[in-house]
């Protein structure tokens, strides 16, 4: 939905307020619907992962599309004090965003064969679905 200033010309303060409140309420309803859809998709993804594991497959193509698993490595700070001390000495603060910067940690692990101090690592498997 788009609204232009021209469309609002001649509307009273009460009409503007009613329109705004109505749109805000509709937005809230849509956000709730989106949360429910996302939750349902998570349940379906979990089932798809079970299907892939049972088949011993990394992907399954169907008439509707293909679903496949993608694994990504994530880093988690277990000890902020230790990690901050390390990151402060690292070149240019390249290890920190809101979380450890993956590219910098990957480079460090490749160069040193171990994680920087204060970090742990875990892999996340996520189902992706591509339309046919």
């Amino acid at each position: 939905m788009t609204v232009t200033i021209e469309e609002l010309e001649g509307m009273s303060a009460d009409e503007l307020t009613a329109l705004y409140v109505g749109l805000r309420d509709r937005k809230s309803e849509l956000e709730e619907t989106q949360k429910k859809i996302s939750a349902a998709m998570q349940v379906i993804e979990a089932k798809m992962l079970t299907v892939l594991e049972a088949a011993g497959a990394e992907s399954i193509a169907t008439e509707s599309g293909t679903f496949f698993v993608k694994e990504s490595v994530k880093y988690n700070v277990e000890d902020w004090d230790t990690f901050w001390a390390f990151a402060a000495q690292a070149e240019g603060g390249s290890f920190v965003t809101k979380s450890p910067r993956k590219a910098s940690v990957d480079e460090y692990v490749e160069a040193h064969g171990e994680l920087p101090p204060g970090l742990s690592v875990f892999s996340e498997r996520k189902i992706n679905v591509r339309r046919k």
Side-chain angles (χ1 to χ4, degrees), residues 24-111:
R24 184 178 61 199
D25 290 348
R26 180 69 180 133
K27 180 182 173 187
S28 180
E29 291 169 6
L30 291 172
E31 288 169 352
E32 283 302 311
T33 300
Q34 184 179 10
K35 287 178 188 175
K36 290 175 184 175
I37 291 170
S38 293
M41 289 171 69
Q42 284 181 333
V43 171
I44 295 167
E45 288 172 7
K47 180 61 178 175
M48 288 173 157
L49 183 57
T50 302
V51 169
L52 285 171
E53 289 172 348
E58 290 293 313
S59 68
I60 294 178
T62 72
E63 289 183 26
S64 299
T66 301
F67 63 95
F68 57 98
V69 67
K70 182 176 181 181
E71 189 166 320
S72 60
V73 174
K74 308 276 181 156
Y75 299 102
N76 186 49
V77 177
E78 290 185 336
D79 181 345
W80 277 105
D81 292 335
T82 302
F83 181 69
W84 279 122
F86 165 80
Q89 295 174 7
E91 50 193 74
S94 66
F95 280 86
V96 181
T97 56
K98 187 175 181 183
S99 59
R101 188 168 163 260
K102 185 179 182 322
S104 293
V105 176
D106 284 343
E107 289 172 17
Y108 183 88
V109 169
E110 181 148 338

Coordinates of all heavy atoms in Angstrom, one line a residue, residues 24-111:
R24 N -1.5 1.0 11.5 CA -0.6 0.4 12.6 C -1.2 -0.9 13.1 O -0.4 -1.9 13.3 CB -0.4 1.4 13.7 CG 0.5 0.9 14.8 CD 0.7 2.0 15.9 NE -0.6 2.2 16.5 CZ -0.9 3.3 17.3 NH1 0.0 4.2 17.5 NH2 -2.1 3.4 17.8
D25 N -2.5 -1.0 13.3 CA -3.1 -2.2 13.7 C -2.9 -3.3 12.7 O -2.6 -4.5 13.0 CB -4.6 -2.0 14.0 CG -4.9 -1.2 15.2 OD1 -3.9 -0.9 16.0 OD2 -6.0 -0.7 15.4
R26 N -3.1 -3.0 11.4 CA -2.9 -4.0 10.3 C -1.5 -4.5 10.3 O -1.2 -5.6 10.1 CB -3.3 -3.3 9.0 CG -3.2 -4.3 7.8 CD -4.3 -5.4 7.9 NE -4.1 -6.2 6.7 CZ -4.0 -7.5 6.7 NH1 -4.2 -8.2 7.9 NH2 -3.9 -8.2 5.6
K27 N -0.5 -3.5 10.5 CA 0.9 -3.9 10.5 C 1.1 -4.9 11.6 O 1.9 -5.9 11.4 CB 1.7 -2.6 10.7 CG 3.2 -2.9 10.7 CD 4.0 -1.6 10.9 CE 5.5 -1.9 11.1 NZ 6.2 -0.7 11.5
S28 N 0.6 -4.6 12.8 CA 0.7 -5.5 13.9 C 0.2 -6.9 13.6 O 0.8 -7.9 13.9 CB 0.1 -4.9 15.1 OG 0.2 -5.8 16.2
E29 N -1.0 -6.9 13.0 CA -1.6 -8.2 12.6 C -0.7 -9.0 11.6 O -0.5 -10.2 11.7 CB -3.0 -8.0 11.9 CG -4.1 -7.5 12.9 CD -5.3 -7.0 12.1 OE1 -5.4 -7.2 10.9 OE2 -6.2 -6.4 12.8
L30 N -0.2 -8.3 10.7 CA 0.7 -8.9 9.7 C 2.0 -9.4 10.3 O 2.5 -10.5 10.0 CB 1.1 -7.9 8.5 CG -0.1 -7.6 7.6 CD1 0.3 -6.5 6.7 CD2 -0.6 -8.8 6.9
E31 N 2.5 -8.7 11.3 CA 3.7 -9.2 12.0 C 3.4 -10.4 12.8 O 4.2 -11.4 12.8 CB 4.2 -8.1 13.0 CG 4.9 -6.9 12.2 CD 5.2 -5.7 13.1 OE1 4.7 -5.7 14.3 OE2 5.8 -4.8 12.6
E32 N 2.2 -10.5 13.4 CA 1.8 -11.8 14.1 C 1.7 -12.9 13.1 O 2.1 -14.0 13.4 CB 0.5 -11.6 14.9 CG 0.7 -10.8 16.2 CD 1.7 -11.4 17.1 OE1 1.6 -12.7 17.4 OE2 2.6 -10.7 17.6
T33 N 1.1 -12.6 12.0 CA 1.0 -13.7 11.0 C 2.3 -14.1 10.5 O 2.6 -15.3 10.3 CB 0.1 -13.2 9.8 OG1 -1.2 -12.8 10.3 CG2 0.0 -14.2 8.7
Q34 N 3.2 -13.2 10.3 CA 4.6 -13.5 9.9 C 5.3 -14.4 10.9 O 6.0 -15.4 10.5 CB 5.4 -12.2 9.6 CG 6.8 -12.5 9.1 CD 7.6 -11.2 8.8 OE1 7.2 -10.2 9.2 NE2 8.7 -11.4 8.1
K35 N 5.1 -14.1 12.2 CA 5.7 -14.9 13.2 C 5.2 -16.4 13.2 O 5.9 -17.3 13.3 CB 5.4 -14.3 14.6 CG 6.2 -13.1 14.9 CD 5.8 -12.5 16.3 CE 6.5 -11.2 16.5 NZ 6.0 -10.6 17.8
K36 N 3.9 -16.5 12.9 CA 3.3 -17.8 12.9 C 3.8 -18.6 11.6 O 4.1 -19.8 11.7 CB 1.8 -17.7 12.8 CG 1.1 -17.3 14.1 CD -0.3 -17.1 14.0 CE -0.9 -16.5 15.3 NZ -2.3 -16.2 15.2
I37 N 3.9 -17.9 10.5 CA 4.4 -18.5 9.3 C 5.9 -19.0 9.5 O 6.3 -20.1 9.2 CB 4.3 -17.6 8.1 CG1 2.8 -17.4 7.7 CG2 5.1 -18.1 6.9 CD1 2.6 -16.3 6.7
S38 N 6.7 -18.1 10.1 CA 8.1 -18.4 10.4 C 8.2 -19.6 11.3 O 9.1 -20.5 11.1 CB 8.8 -17.2 11.0 OG 8.9 -16.2 10.1
A39 N 7.4 -19.7 12.3 CA 7.4 -20.9 13.2 C 7.0 -22.1 12.5 O 7.6 -23.2 12.7 CB 6.4 -20.6 14.4
A40 N 6.0 -22.1 11.6 CA 5.6 -23.2 10.8 C 6.7 -23.7 9.9 O 7.0 -24.9 9.8 CB 4.4 -22.9 10.0
M41 N 7.4 -22.7 9.3 CA 8.5 -23.0 8.4 C 9.7 -23.7 9.2 O 10.3 -24.6 8.6 CB 9.0 -21.8 7.7 CG 8.0 -21.3 6.6 SD 8.4 -19.7 5.9 CE 9.9 -20.1 5.0
Q42 N 9.9 -23.3 10.4 CA 11.0 -23.9 11.2 C 10.6 -25.4 11.5 O 11.5 -26.2 11.5 CB 11.2 -23.2 12.5 CG 11.9 -21.9 12.4 CD 12.1 -21.2 13.7 OE1 11.4 -21.3 14.6 NE2 13.2 -20.4 13.8
V43 N 9.4 -25.7 11.8 CA 9.0 -27.1 12.0 C 9.2 -27.9 10.7 O 9.7 -29.0 10.7 CB 7.5 -27.1 12.5 CG1 7.0 -28.5 12.5 CG2 7.4 -26.5 13.8
I44 N 8.8 -27.3 9.6 CA 9.0 -28.0 8.3 C 10.4 -28.2 8.0 O 10.8 -29.3 7.6 CB 8.3 -27.2 7.2 CG1 6.8 -27.2 7.4 CG2 8.6 -27.8 5.8 CD1 6.0 -26.2 6.5
E45 N 11.3 -27.2 8.3 CA 12.7 -27.4 8.1 C 13.3 -28.5 8.9 O 14.1 -29.3 8.5 CB 13.5 -26.1 8.4 CG 13.3 -25.0 7.4 CD 13.8 -23.6 7.8 OE1 14.5 -23.6 8.9 OE2 13.6 -22.7 7.1
A46 N 12.8 -28.6 10.2 CA 13.3 -29.7 11.1 C 12.9 -31.0 10.5 O 13.7 -32.0 10.5 CB 12.7 -29.5 12.5
K47 N 11.7 -31.2 9.9 CA 11.2 -32.4 9.3 C 12.1 -32.7 8.1 O 12.4 -33.8 7.8 CB 9.7 -32.3 9.0 CG 9.2 -33.6 8.3 CD 9.4 -34.8 9.2 CE 8.8 -36.0 8.6 NZ 9.0 -37.2 9.4
M48 N 12.4 -31.7 7.3 CA 13.2 -31.9 6.1 C 14.6 -32.4 6.4 O 15.1 -33.3 5.8 CB 13.3 -30.6 5.3 CG 12.0 -30.2 4.6 SD 12.2 -28.5 3.8 CE 11.0 -28.6 2.6
L49 N 15.1 -31.9 7.5 CA 16.4 -32.3 8.0 C 16.4 -33.8 8.4 O 17.2 -34.6 8.0 CB 16.9 -31.5 9.1 CG 18.3 -31.8 9.6 CD1 19.4 -31.6 8.5 CD2 18.7 -30.8 10.8
T50 N 15.3 -34.2 9.0 CA 15.1 -35.6 9.4 C 15.0 -36.4 8.2 O 15.6 -37.5 8.1 CB 13.8 -35.7 10.3 OG1 14.0 -34.9 11.4 CG2 13.6 -37.1 10.7
V51 N 14.3 -36.0 7.2 CA 14.1 -36.7 5.9 C 15.5 -36.9 5.2 O 15.8 -38.0 4.8 CB 13.1 -36.0 5.0 CG1 13.1 -36.7 3.6 CG2 11.7 -36.1 5.6
L52 N 16.3 -35.8 5.2 CA 17.6 -35.9 4.6 C 18.5 -36.9 5.3 O 19.2 -37.7 4.7 CB 18.3 -34.5 4.5 CG 17.8 -33.5 3.5 CD1 18.4 -32.2 3.7 CD2 18.1 -34.0 2.1
E53 N 18.5 -36.8 6.6 CA 19.3 -37.7 7.4 C 18.9 -39.1 7.3 O 19.8 -40.0 7.1 CB 19.3 -37.3 8.9 CG 20.0 -36.0 9.1 CD 19.9 -35.4 10.5 OE1 19.0 -35.9 11.3 OE2 20.6 -34.4 10.9
A54 N 17.6 -39.4 7.2 CA 17.1 -40.8 7.1 C 17.5 -41.3 5.7 O 17.8 -42.5 5.5 CB 15.6 -40.8 7.2
A55 N 17.6 -40.4 4.7 CA 17.9 -40.9 3.3 C 19.4 -40.9 3.1 O 19.9 -41.3 2.1 CB 17.3 -40.0 2.3
G56 N 20.2 -40.3 4.1 CA 21.6 -40.2 4.0 C 22.0 -39.3 2.8 O 23.0 -39.5 2.1
A57 N 21.2 -38.3 2.6 CA 21.4 -37.4 1.5 C 21.7 -36.0 2.0 O 21.4 -35.6 3.1 CB 20.1 -37.4 0.6
E58 N 22.3 -35.2 1.1 CA 22.5 -33.8 1.3 C 21.5 -32.9 0.7 O 21.3 -31.8 1.0 CB 23.9 -33.4 0.8 CG 25.1 -33.9 1.6 CD 25.1 -33.4 3.1 OE1 25.1 -32.2 3.2 OE2 25.3 -34.2 4.0
S59 N 20.8 -33.5 -0.3 CA 19.7 -32.7 -1.0 C 18.7 -33.7 -1.5 O 19.0 -34.9 -1.8 CB 20.3 -31.9 -2.1 OG 20.8 -32.6 -3.2
I60 N 17.5 -33.2 -1.7 CA 16.4 -34.0 -2.3 C 15.7 -33.1 -3.3 O 15.2 -32.0 -2.9 CB 15.4 -34.6 -1.3 CG1 16.2 -35.6 -0.4 CG2 14.2 -35.2 -2.0 CD1 15.3 -36.2 0.7
A61 N 15.6 -33.5 -4.6 CA 14.9 -32.8 -5.6 C 13.5 -33.3 -5.7 O 13.3 -34.5 -5.7 CB 15.6 -32.9 -6.9
T62 N 12.5 -32.4 -5.8 CA 11.1 -32.8 -5.9 C 10.5 -32.1 -7.1 O 11.1 -31.2 -7.6 CB 10.3 -32.6 -4.6 OG1 10.1 -31.1 -4.5 CG2 11.0 -33.1 -3.4
E63 N 9.3 -32.4 -7.4 CA 8.6 -31.6 -8.4 C 8.4 -30.1 -8.0 O 8.4 -29.3 -8.9 CB 7.2 -32.2 -8.8 CG 7.3 -33.5 -9.5 CD 5.9 -34.1 -9.8 OE1 5.0 -33.3 -10.0 OE2 5.8 -35.3 -10.0
S64 N 8.3 -29.9 -6.7 CA 8.0 -28.5 -6.3 C 9.3 -27.7 -6.1 O 9.3 -26.5 -6.0 CB 7.3 -28.5 -4.9 OG 6.1 -29.2 -5.1
G65 N 10.4 -28.4 -6.0 CA 11.7 -27.7 -5.7 C 12.7 -28.7 -5.1 O 12.5 -29.9 -5.0
T66 N 13.8 -28.1 -4.6 CA 14.9 -28.9 -4.0 C 15.1 -28.4 -2.6 O 15.2 -27.2 -2.4 CB 16.1 -28.8 -4.9 OG1 15.9 -29.2 -6.2 CG2 17.3 -29.6 -4.3
F67 N 15.3 -29.3 -1.7 CA 15.7 -28.8 -0.4 C 17.0 -29.5 -0.1 O 17.3 -30.6 -0.5 CB 14.7 -29.0 0.7 CG 14.2 -30.4 1.0 CD1 14.8 -31.1 2.1 CD2 13.2 -31.0 0.4 CE1 14.4 -32.4 2.4 CE2 12.8 -32.3 0.7 CZ 13.4 -33.0 1.7
F68 N 17.9 -28.8 0.6 CA 19.2 -29.2 0.9 C 19.7 -28.6 2.2 O 19.2 -27.6 2.7 CB 20.2 -28.8 -0.3 CG 20.2 -27.4 -0.6 CD1 21.2 -26.6 -0.1 CD2 19.3 -26.8 -1.4 CE1 21.3 -25.2 -0.4 CE2 19.3 -25.4 -1.7 CZ 20.3 -24.7 -1.2
V69 N 20.7 -29.3 2.7 CA 21.3 -28.8 4.0 C 22.6 -28.0 3.7 O 23.3 -28.4 2.8 CB 21.5 -30.0 5.0 CG1 22.6 -30.9 4.5 CG2 21.8 -29.4 6.3
K70 N 22.8 -26.9 4.4 CA 24.0 -26.1 4.3 C 24.5 -26.0 5.7 O 23.8 -25.6 6.6 CB 23.7 -24.8 3.6 CG 24.9 -23.9 3.5 CD 24.6 -22.6 2.7 CE 25.8 -21.8 2.6 NZ 25.6 -20.6 1.9
E71 N 25.8 -26.3 5.8 CA 26.4 -26.2 7.1 C 27.3 -25.0 7.2 O 28.1 -24.7 6.2 CB 27.2 -27.4 7.4 CG 27.7 -27.5 8.9 CD 28.2 -28.8 9.3 OE1 27.6 -29.9 8.9 OE2 29.3 -28.9 10.0
S72 N 27.2 -24.2 8.2 CA 28.1 -23.0 8.3 C 28.7 -23.0 9.7 O 28.1 -23.5 10.7 CB 27.3 -21.7 8.1 OG 26.3 -21.6 9.1
V73 N 29.9 -22.6 9.8 CA 30.7 -22.5 11.0 C 30.4 -21.2 11.7 O 30.5 -20.1 11.1 CB 32.2 -22.7 10.8 CG1 33.0 -22.6 12.0 CG2 32.4 -24.1 10.1
K74 N 30.1 -21.2 13.0 CA 29.9 -20.0 13.7 C 30.8 -20.0 14.9 O 31.2 -21.1 15.5 CB 28.4 -20.0 14.3 CG 27.4 -20.2 13.2 CD 27.0 -19.0 12.5 CE 25.9 -19.2 11.5 NZ 25.1 -18.1 11.2
Y75 N 31.2 -18.8 15.4 CA 32.1 -18.7 16.5 C 31.3 -18.0 17.7 O 30.5 -17.1 17.4 CB 33.3 -17.9 16.2 CG 34.1 -18.5 15.1 CD1 34.1 -18.1 13.8 CD2 34.9 -19.6 15.4 CE1 34.8 -18.7 12.8 CE2 35.7 -20.3 14.4 CZ 35.6 -19.8 13.1 OH 36.3 -20.4 12.1
N76 N 31.5 -18.5 18.9 CA 30.8 -18.0 20.0 C 31.9 -17.6 21.1 O 32.8 -18.3 21.3 CB 29.9 -19.1 20.6 CG 29.1 -18.6 21.7 OD1 28.5 -17.5 21.6 ND2 29.0 -19.3 22.8
V77 N 31.7 -16.4 21.7 CA 32.7 -16.0 22.7 C 32.2 -16.7 24.0 O 31.1 -16.5 24.5 CB 32.7 -14.5 22.9 CG1 33.6 -14.0 24.0 CG2 33.1 -13.8 21.6
E78 N 33.2 -17.4 24.6 CA 32.9 -18.1 25.9 C 33.5 -17.3 27.0 O 33.0 -17.4 28.1 CB 33.5 -19.5 25.9 CG 32.8 -20.5 25.0 CD 33.4 -21.9 25.1 OE1 34.6 -22.0 25.5 OE2 32.6 -22.8 24.8
D79 N 34.5 -16.5 26.7 CA 35.1 -15.7 27.8 C 35.5 -14.3 27.2 O 36.5 -14.2 26.5 CB 36.4 -16.4 28.2 CG 37.2 -15.7 29.3 OD1 36.9 -14.5 29.6 OD2 38.0 -16.3 30.0
W80 N 34.6 -13.4 27.4 CA 34.8 -12.0 26.8 C 36.1 -11.4 27.3 O 36.8 -10.7 26.5 CB 33.6 -11.1 27.1 CG 32.5 -11.3 26.1 CD1 31.3 -12.0 26.3 CD2 32.4 -10.9 24.8 NE1 30.5 -12.0 25.2 CE2 31.2 -11.4 24.2 CE3 33.3 -10.2 23.9 CZ2 30.9 -11.1 22.9 CZ3 33.0 -10.0 22.6 CH2 31.7 -10.4 22.1
D81 N 36.4 -11.5 28.6 CA 37.6 -10.8 29.1 C 38.9 -11.3 28.3 O 39.7 -10.6 27.9 CB 37.8 -11.1 30.6 CG 36.7 -10.4 31.4 OD1 36.2 -9.4 30.9 OD2 36.5 -10.8 32.5
T82 N 39.0 -12.7 28.2 CA 40.1 -13.2 27.5 C 40.1 -12.8 26.0 O 41.1 -12.4 25.4 CB 40.1 -14.8 27.6 OG1 40.1 -15.1 29.0 CG2 41.3 -15.4 26.9
F83 N 38.9 -12.9 25.4 CA 38.9 -12.6 24.0 C 39.1 -11.1 23.7 O 39.9 -10.7 22.8 CB 37.5 -12.9 23.4 CG 37.4 -12.6 21.9 CD1 38.2 -13.3 21.0 CD2 36.6 -11.6 21.5 CE1 38.1 -13.0 19.6 CE2 36.5 -11.3 20.1 CZ 37.3 -12.0 19.2
W84 N 38.6 -10.2 24.6 CA 38.9 -8.7 24.4 C 40.4 -8.4 24.6 O 40.9 -7.6 23.8 CB 38.1 -7.9 25.4 CG 36.7 -7.7 25.0 CD1 35.5 -8.0 25.7 CD2 36.2 -7.0 23.8 NE1 34.4 -7.6 25.1 CE2 34.8 -7.0 23.9 CE3 36.8 -6.5 22.7 CZ2 34.0 -6.5 22.9 CZ3 36.0 -5.9 21.7 CH2 34.6 -5.9 21.8
A85 N 41.0 -9.1 25.5 CA 42.5 -8.9 25.7 C 43.2 -9.3 24.4 O 44.1 -8.6 23.9 CB 43.0 -9.7 26.9
F86 N 42.8 -10.4 23.8 CA 43.4 -10.9 22.6 C 43.1 -9.9 21.4 O 43.9 -9.5 20.7 CB 42.9 -12.3 22.2 CG 43.2 -12.6 20.8 CD1 44.4 -13.1 20.4 CD2 42.2 -12.5 19.8 CE1 44.7 -13.4 19.1 CE2 42.5 -12.8 18.5 CZ 43.7 -13.3 18.1
A87 N 41.8 -9.5 21.3 CA 41.3 -8.7 20.2 C 42.0 -7.3 20.2 O 42.3 -6.7 19.2 CB 39.8 -8.6 20.2
A88 N 42.2 -6.8 21.4 CA 42.8 -5.5 21.6 C 44.3 -5.5 21.0 O 44.7 -4.4 20.5 CB 42.9 -5.1 23.0
Q89 N 44.9 -6.6 21.1 CA 46.3 -6.7 20.6 C 46.4 -7.1 19.1 O 47.4 -6.9 18.4 CB 47.1 -7.7 21.4 CG 47.3 -7.3 22.8 CD 48.0 -8.3 23.7 OE1 48.4 -9.3 23.1 NE2 48.0 -8.1 24.9
A90 N 45.2 -7.6 18.5 CA 45.2 -8.0 17.1 C 45.2 -6.8 16.2 O 44.9 -5.7 16.6 CB 43.9 -8.8 16.9
E91 N 45.7 -7.0 15.0 CA 45.8 -5.9 14.1 C 44.5 -5.2 13.7 O 43.6 -5.8 13.2 CB 46.5 -6.4 12.8 CG 45.8 -7.7 12.3 CD 46.7 -8.3 11.2 OE1 47.7 -9.0 11.6 OE2 46.4 -8.2 10.0
G92 N 44.4 -4.0 14.0 CA 43.3 -3.1 13.6 C 42.0 -3.5 14.1 O 41.0 -3.0 13.6
G93 N 41.9 -4.3 15.2 CA 40.5 -4.6 15.7 C 39.7 -5.4 14.7 O 38.5 -5.4 14.7
S94 N 40.3 -6.2 13.8 CA 39.6 -6.9 12.8 C 38.8 -8.1 13.3 O 38.1 -8.6 12.5 CB 40.6 -7.3 11.7 OG 41.5 -8.3 12.2
F95 N 38.9 -8.4 14.5 CA 38.3 -9.6 15.0 C 36.9 -9.3 15.6 O 36.1 -10.2 15.9 CB 39.1 -10.3 16.1 CG 40.2 -11.1 15.6 CD1 41.4 -10.6 15.3 CD2 40.0 -12.5 15.4 CE1 42.4 -11.3 14.7 CE2 41.0 -13.3 14.8 CZ 42.2 -12.7 14.5
V96 N 36.5 -8.0 15.7 CA 35.3 -7.7 16.4 C 34.3 -6.9 15.6 O 34.7 -5.9 14.9 CB 35.6 -7.0 17.7 CG1 34.3 -6.6 18.5 CG2 36.6 -7.7 18.6
T97 N 33.1 -7.4 15.5 CA 31.9 -6.6 15.1 C 31.0 -6.7 16.3 O 31.5 -6.5 17.4 CB 31.3 -7.2 13.8 OG1 30.9 -8.6 14.1 CG2 32.2 -7.1 12.7
K98 N 29.8 -7.1 16.2 CA 29.0 -7.3 17.3 C 29.3 -8.7 17.9 O 29.0 -9.1 19.0 CB 27.5 -7.2 17.0 CG 26.6 -7.3 18.2 CD 25.2 -7.1 17.8 CE 24.3 -7.2 19.0 NZ 22.9 -7.0 18.7
S99 N 29.8 -9.6 17.0 CA 30.3 -10.9 17.4 C 31.6 -11.1 16.7 O 32.0 -10.2 15.9 CB 29.3 -11.9 16.9 OG 29.1 -11.8 15.5
P100 N 32.3 -12.1 17.0 CA 33.6 -12.3 16.4 C 33.5 -12.3 14.8 O 32.5 -12.9 14.3 CB 34.1 -13.7 16.9 CG 33.3 -13.9 18.1 CD 32.0 -13.2 17.9
R101 N 34.3 -11.6 14.2 CA 34.3 -11.5 12.7 C 34.8 -12.8 12.1 O 35.9 -13.2 12.3 CB 35.1 -10.3 12.2 CG 35.0 -10.0 10.8 CD 35.6 -8.7 10.4 NE 35.8 -8.6 9.0 CZ 37.0 -8.9 8.4 NH1 38.1 -9.2 9.1 NH2 37.0 -8.8 7.1
K102 N 33.9 -13.5 11.4 CA 34.1 -14.8 10.9 C 35.4 -14.9 10.0 O 36.2 -15.8 10.2 CB 32.9 -15.3 10.2 CG 33.1 -16.8 9.7 CD 31.9 -17.3 9.0 CE 32.0 -18.7 8.6 NZ 33.2 -19.2 8.1
A103 N 35.5 -14.0 9.1 CA 36.7 -14.0 8.2 C 38.0 -13.9 8.9 O 38.9 -14.6 8.7 CB 36.6 -12.9 7.1
S104 N 38.1 -13.0 9.9 CA 39.3 -12.9 10.7 C 39.6 -14.1 11.5 O 40.7 -14.6 11.6 CB 39.2 -11.7 11.6 OG 39.1 -10.5 10.9
V105 N 38.5 -14.7 12.1 CA 38.7 -15.9 12.9 C 39.1 -17.1 12.0 O 40.1 -17.8 12.4 CB 37.5 -16.2 13.8 CG1 37.6 -17.5 14.5 CG2 37.2 -15.1 14.8
D106 N 38.5 -17.2 10.9 CA 38.9 -18.2 9.9 C 40.4 -18.1 9.5 O 41.1 -19.1 9.5 CB 38.0 -18.1 8.6 CG 36.6 -18.7 8.8 OD1 36.4 -19.4 9.8 OD2 35.8 -18.3 7.9
E107 N 40.8 -16.9 9.2 CA 42.2 -16.6 8.9 C 43.1 -17.0 10.1 O 44.2 -17.6 9.9 CB 42.4 -15.2 8.5 CG 41.8 -14.8 7.2 CD 41.9 -13.3 6.9 OE1 42.7 -12.6 7.6 OE2 41.2 -12.8 6.1
Y108 N 42.8 -16.6 11.3 CA 43.6 -16.9 12.4 C 43.7 -18.5 12.6 O 44.8 -19.0 12.9 CB 43.0 -16.3 13.7 CG 43.8 -16.5 14.9 CD1 44.8 -15.6 15.2 CD2 43.6 -17.6 15.8 CE1 45.6 -15.8 16.4 CE2 44.4 -17.8 16.9 CZ 45.4 -16.9 17.2 OH 46.2 -17.1 18.3
V109 N 42.6 -19.1 12.5 CA 42.5 -20.6 12.7 C 43.4 -21.3 11.7 O 44.2 -22.2 12.0 CB 41.1 -21.2 12.7 CG1 41.1 -22.7 12.6 CG2 40.3 -20.7 13.9
E110 N 43.3 -20.8 10.4 CA 44.1 -21.4 9.4 C 45.6 -21.1 9.6 O 46.5 -22.0 9.4 CB 43.8 -20.8 8.0 CG 44.6 -21.4 6.9 CD 43.8 -21.5 5.6 OE1 42.6 -21.5 5.6 OE2 44.5 -21.6 4.6
A111 N 46.0 -20.0 10.1 CA 47.4 -19.6 10.3 C 48.0 -20.3 11.6 O 49.1 -20.6 11.6 CB 47.6 -18.1 10.4

